[in-house]
Amino acid sequence: RSGVLATGFTEVAEAAVSLHPLFYVLLVLSIAALSAAALPATAFPNATVGAALARRRAEVTLAGIVALIAVLMAYLLALD
């Protein structure tokens, strides 16, 4: 039993190591974009930034989702 789990873990660990560091940067950017899109405009200390985010919330969300899908696809391709 433990052999199957160890084999699965080894494949995942090798896939994570084989990814280019740029994909981790893209993952961080996607998380940041989705987090910023989820915040209310009043959460930003600068009113201009909050207003700009309020106007572009859909675009920021879409950018975060696209980046997250790109990271997921890269990870799945690295598993092969």
Side-chain angles (χ1 to χ4, degrees), residues 23-60:
F23 292 110
Y24 293 110
V25 172
L26 191 58
L27 178 62
V28 168
L29 290 175
S30 70
I31 292 170
L34 291 171
S35 298
L39 289 173
T42 57
F44 295 95
N46 187 343
T48 306
V49 173
L53 179 66
R55 284 190 305 273
R56 302 286 184 199
R57 190 173 309 275
E59 290 90 346
V60 172

